[in-house]
């Protein structure tokens, strides 16, 4: 491990707060959503009922997880009116902001795998079992075909995402073992293994956000000093290169890969302020400054 | 083959690699799928004492329709339902209750069904008395206090559909010879499976239990016809009764029924003359009737 910590340059250049801004917002979002769900069972304030599979907020806003609904549909069962409305809202939302925003801003397992990733870095654990990042799409296909074949919402039998989230709200039981296994797997066995390679929930949401307008873009890529911090910190580093290094190939600066989770960590750790949120349409082939 | 020749060897290797990688994935993920599928099969075997909320689809459909959101759990005013934890032998995340712990209160507005965002709980169910969460079965006749001749009656008293779903049937108590026994008797067409009877059974282990209909109910062969009902429907017997042979009533060895009139034994003088009936003994004829003409 080099002496340099990821983001150290950014902290020096921009100050701690701006070098962690999106991370802080993201944690606020993750914990805030969890808190809203927990307010009912813990404090008796029922703003939100249910869990990430389906929730009903203030007896007004239904939200349905489209991946679970799709698995149910594969078994031949469809939501009722509120479930359908919730489905439409969630589909439109993630279609607009980026499917994998679910992963980085909502999913509770992200807290676990981020912690494992952070600790892996701090402990200097090198080496990782190799597994294609496309594995998740195979798992996704398997859960859909399997749901149709078995008549059971298949992934929900073992889905760690809903097990953890539901567990925190309705009683954890043995679900903590699944969380520990994922943490240890990401820490010792495979770098970014769960979210980055295996989880079909993320795979589904990446497809949902395939054409999302909100994207991270390396607009100031001309200023890049190749410190590699963005690659180090990114949970899906393969998405960065085409946008950041595409100037010579006539590729625009917008990160178009659907597996970008819009977590904004690259924006944080870049001391040169290369990255920023923007629209995918604002994607000129060349960002070199004329002046 | 012109097309293959035109390609560089490199693309051939790449294609081979692609096919191998795909096969590797398909096999690995296929194995995971197979494991999950077998697990799903296990998950369909709902334990007999785990009851689904009112209006729940049959288990096979329920596991496909339920999205494990817990809204039914939340909207149950008596906190009866729980979501299965991973270690519970019920499909993870699905709602159930255990009657012996806490039974369904049968709310008239059925809030759990209303809360369900899918068809897992059938929204057609608007009358809670039509619910079929299970069927109570008085499963142990050896320990039930009423079967011992006592007047416990608790299951009967607590039944929300009293005198329909559970009745007390009066029969003589053969032990004392002069008392009655009031046997709690479940009538499945009225029982909702709420579990109040099981919950309130005073025994250490409940003698009456709510079971899934599949376990609790027998089923007649579909070709079966009950003669007396067909007779009622048709207004007359479906067979020619004049040609009916009425066999003598059979009683246990040594039993007598003084005053019992058995037309078959009383009016079958001629029958006794038939071959094989020599000695006036009809096989199985009660000994008390042997001396009769």
């Amino acid at each position: 491990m080099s002496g340099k910590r990821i983001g150290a340059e950014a902290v020096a250049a921009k100050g701690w707060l701006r070098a962690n801004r999106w991370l802080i917002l993201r944690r606020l979002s993750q914990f805030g959503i969890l808190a809203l769900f927990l307010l009912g069972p813990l404090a008796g304030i029922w703003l939100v009922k249910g869990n990430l599979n389906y929730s009903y907020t203030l007896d007004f806003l239904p939200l349905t997880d489209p991946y679970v609904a799709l698995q149910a549909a594969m078994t031949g069962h469809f939501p009722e009116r509120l479930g359908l409305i919730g489905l439409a809202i969630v589909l439109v939302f993630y279609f607009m902001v980026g499917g994998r925003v679910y992963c980085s801003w909502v999913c509770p397992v992200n807290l676990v795998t981020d912690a494992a990733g952070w600790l892996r870095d701090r402990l200097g654990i090198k080496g990782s079992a190799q597994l294609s990042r496309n594995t998740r799409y195979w798992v996704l296909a398997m859960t859909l075909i399997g749901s149709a074949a078995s008549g059971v919402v298949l992934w929900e039998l073992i889905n760690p995402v809903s097990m953890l989230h539901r567990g925190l709200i309705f009683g954890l039981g043995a679900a903590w073992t699944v969380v520990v296994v994922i943490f240890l797997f990401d820490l010792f066995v495979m770098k970014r293994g769960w979210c980055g390679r295996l989880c079909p929930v993320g795979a589904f949401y990446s497809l949902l956000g395939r054409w999302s307008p909100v994207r991270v873009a390396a607009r100031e890529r001309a200023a890049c000093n190749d410190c590699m911090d963005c690659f180090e910190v990114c949970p899906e580093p393969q998405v960065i290169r085409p946008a950041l290094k595409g100037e010579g190939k006539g590729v625009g600066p917008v990160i178009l890969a659907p597996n970008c989770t819009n977590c904004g960590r690259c924006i944080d750790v870049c001391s040169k302020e290369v990255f920023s949120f923007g629209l995918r349409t604002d994607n000129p082939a060349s960002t070199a400054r004329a002046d | 083959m012109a097309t293959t020749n035109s390609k560089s060897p490199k693309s051939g290797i790449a294609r081979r690699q692609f096919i191998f990688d795909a096969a590797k994935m398909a096999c690995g993920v296929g194995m995971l799928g197979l494991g999950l599928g077998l697990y799903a099969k296990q998950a369909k075997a709902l334990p007999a004492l785990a009851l689904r909320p009112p209006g729940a689809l049959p288990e096979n459909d329920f596991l496909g329709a339920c999205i494990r959101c817990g809204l039914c759990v939340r909207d149950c005013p008596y906190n009866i339902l729980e979501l299965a934890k991973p270690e519970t032998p019920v499909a993870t995340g699905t709602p159930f209750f255990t009657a012996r712990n806490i039974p369904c209160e049968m709310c008239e507005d059925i809030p759990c069904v209303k809360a369900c965002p899918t068809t897992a709980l059938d929204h057609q169910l608007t009358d809670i008395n039509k619910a079929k969460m299970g069927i109570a079965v008085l499963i142990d006749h050896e320990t039930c206090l009423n079967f011992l001749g006592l007047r416990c009656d608790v299951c009967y008293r607590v039944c929300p559909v009293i005198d329909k779903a559970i009745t007390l049937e009066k029969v003589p108590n053969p032990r004392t010879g002069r008392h009655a026994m009031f046997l709690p008797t479940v009538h499945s067409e009225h029982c909702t499976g709420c579990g109040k009877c099981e919950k309130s059974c005073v025994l250490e282990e409940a003698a009456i239990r709510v079971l899934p209909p599949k376990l609790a109910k027998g089923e007649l062969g579909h070709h079966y016809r009950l003669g007396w009902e067909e007779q009622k429907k048709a207004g007359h017997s479906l067979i020619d009764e004049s040609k009916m042979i009425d066999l003598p009533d059979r009683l246990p060895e040594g039993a007598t029924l003084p005053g019992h009139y058995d037309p078959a034994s009383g009016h079958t003088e001629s029958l006794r003359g038939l071959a094989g009936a020599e000695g006036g003994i009809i096989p199985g004829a009660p000994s008390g009737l042997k001396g009769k003409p």
Side-chain angles (χ1 to χ4, degrees):
Chain A
M1 193 167 75
S2 68
K4 190 199 77 156
R5 293 276 315 285
I6 302 166
E9 271 182 61
V11 173
K14 308 194 285 190
W16 185 86
L17 196 62
R18 288 205 53 210
N20 287 285
R21 186 171 53 161
W22 290 105
L23 180 64
I24 295 166
L25 287 173
R26 209 153 59 79
R27 295 289 178 246
L28 282 176
S29 161
Q30 289 168 324
F31 283 111
I33 289 168
L34 212 47
L36 282 175
F37 276 104
L38 284 169
L39 220 47
L42 295 187
I45 304 166
W46 292 102
L47 301 179
V48 185
K49 283 188 285 196
N51 57 44
L52 286 180
N53 285 1
Y54 173 82
S55 64
Y56 199 33
T57 304
L58 294 170
D59 287 337
F60 169 72
L61 173 71
L63 296 170
T64 311
D65 181 278
Y67 175 45
V68 175
L70 179 59
Q71 288 175 82
M74 294 301 285
T75 76
H77 294 93
F78 300 91
E80 287 280 311
R81 194 178 58 91
L82 277 178
L84 284 174
I85 297 171
L87 187 62
I89 294 172
V90 172
L91 283 175
V92 169
F93 178 77
Y94 285 110
F95 185 85
M96 297 306 288
V97 301
R100 293 207 65 199
V101 161
Y102 176 84
C103 301
S104 59
W105 292 77
V106 178
C107 178
V109 171
N110 176 268
L111 291 163
V112 177
T113 56
D114 267 4
W118 175 84
L119 193 61
R120 182 177 247 272
D121 183 51
R122 290 305 296 265
L123 296 178
I125 298 172
K126 297 288 174 201
S128 161
Q130 291 304 309
L131 191 62
S132 164
R133 285 191 180 267
N134 287 330
T135 309
R136 50 189 155 195
Y137 294 105
W138 289 82
V139 177
L140 174 63
M142 178 272 286
T143 61
L144 296 178
I145 296 167
S147 292
S150 67
V152 174
V153 180
L154 199 64
W155 192 245
E156 279 311 291
L157 291 174
I158 59 164
N159 185 359
V161 177
S162 51
M163 261 193 208
L164 175 58
H165 191 257
R166 184 171 50 233
L168 291 172
I169 299 162
F170 288 89
L172 198 56
W176 66 269
T177 56
V178 179
V179 176
V180 168
V181 165
I182 285 181
F183 179 81
L184 295 177
F185 177 76
D186 264 26
L187 180 59
F188 293 116
V189 182
M190 199 179 288
K191 185 177 182 182
R192 297 286 176 189
W194 182 258
C195 303
R197 293 158 213 275
L198 286 169
C199 179
V201 181
F204 173 85
Y205 275 95
S206 80
L207 296 178
L208 174 54
R210 187 71 189 75
W211 296 279
S212 76
V214 179
R215 300 270 80 188
V216 175
R219 282 187 214 293
E220 304 295 328
R221 58 189 176 184
C224 174
N225 63 356
D226 291 327
C227 74
M228 300 302 280
D229 275 2
C230 55
F231 286 101
E232 289 290 327
V233 84
C234 179
E236 303 274 353
Q238 77 281 5
V239 307
I240 296 178
R241 180 170 300 279
L244 184 61
K245 299 296 172 194
E247 180 72 44
K249 299 177 194 121
V251 177
V254 174
I255 295 177
L256 292 171
N259 271 312
C260 170
T261 67
N262 278 5
C263 72
R265 218 34 204 133
C266 54
I267 306 174
D268 280 347
V269 300
C270 182
S271 59
K272 301 295 180 191
E273 311 232 30
V274 167
F275 298 95
S276 57
F277 276 115
L279 295 176
R280 77 184 296 130
T281 47
D282 183 13
N283 196 18
S286 174
T287 48
R289 289 287 160 84
D291 49 356
Chain B
M1 298 197 344
T3 46
T4 349
N5 288 342
S6 68
K7 280 184 184 158
S8 66
K10 201 179 168 192
S11 84
I13 290 167
R15 189 172 63 233
R16 280 169 66 96
Q17 190 62 42
F18 172 78
I19 292 168
F20 284 145
D21 285 349
K24 207 160 68 180
M25 274 303 169
C27 288
V29 175
M31 274 166 71
L32 176 66
L34 195 62
L36 259 181
L38 294 174
Y39 181 43
K41 206 161 181 306
Q42 296 291 314
K44 283 182 181 174
L46 186 69
L49 292 183
L51 302 177
R52 295 297 188 194
L57 298 178
E59 191 63 11
N60 264 349
D61 291 322
F62 188 80
L63 291 182
C66 172
I67 58 171
R68 286 83 162 150
C69 68
L71 264 280
C72 52
V73 176
R74 288 301 179 226
D75 280 14
C76 171
Y78 300 96
N79 284 325
I80 284 153
L81 297 168
E82 59 178 305
L83 292 186
K85 300 188 172 90
E87 69 273 27
T88 322
V90 174
T92 305
T94 55
F96 72 101
F97 70 100
T98 312
R100 187 61 166 168
N101 298 340
I102 178 164
C104 175
E105 293 287 338
M106 287 175 61
C107 311
E108 287 198 352
D109 52 344
I110 331 181
C112 49
V113 172
K114 282 189 183 156
C116 181
T118 71
T119 52
L121 303 184
D122 186 358
H123 290 241
Q124 307 292 320
L125 179 75
T126 48
D127 176 5
I128 188 66
N129 290 315
K130 299 256 165 66
K132 274 275 169 284
M133 294 169 268
I135 293 168
V137 180
L138 209 161
I139 211 162
D140 190 354
H141 294 184
E142 293 174 337
T143 53
C144 170
L145 296 182
N146 278 37
F147 267 81
L148 294 174
L150 307 171
R151 288 303 299 273
C152 164
D153 297 1
V154 168
C155 56
Y156 164 75
R157 294 279 165 212
V158 299
C159 178
V161 201
I162 187 170
D163 285 325
K164 282 186 187 157
I166 303 185
T167 56
L168 293 178
E169 300 297 323
K170 194 165 75 174
V171 298
N173 182 341
R175 180 175 59 82
T176 66
R178 52 204 179 102
H179 296 98
M181 298 195 298
F182 293 82
L183 304 184
T185 307
V186 178
H187 304 276
S188 60
E189 74 269 34
H190 294 296
C191 176
T192 64
C194 71
K196 285 248 164 174
C197 51
E198 180 178 344
K199 166 68 180 171
S200 53
C201 177
V202 302
L203 303 183
E204 286 288 306
E205 294 285 341
I208 189 165
R209 292 178 189 194
V210 178
L211 300 177
K214 207 174 162 56
L215 281 185
K217 286 289 289 176
E219 190 178 350
L220 285 174
H222 296 291
H223 60 290
Y224 279 36
R225 298 289 176 270
L226 302 177
W228 53 93
E229 283 182 1
E230 298 299 325
Q231 189 173 1
K232 217 186 286 176
K233 261 191 262 171
H236 57 83
S237 179
L238 299 186
I239 55 169
D240 183 359
E241 291 204 21
S242 68
K243 292 199 176 129
M244 196 170 75
I245 300 171
D246 184 16
L247 294 176
D249 296 354
R250 287 161 57 127
L251 290 176
E253 201 68 37
T256 55
L257 280 175
H260 174 66
Y261 173 65
D262 177 9
S265 300
H267 296 278
T268 49
E269 196 68 51
S270 56
L271 266 181
R272 300 200 173 193
L274 290 175
E278 280 84 12
I281 305 294
I282 291 169
S287 52
L289 299 169
K290 277 177 190 167
K292 278 187 158 185

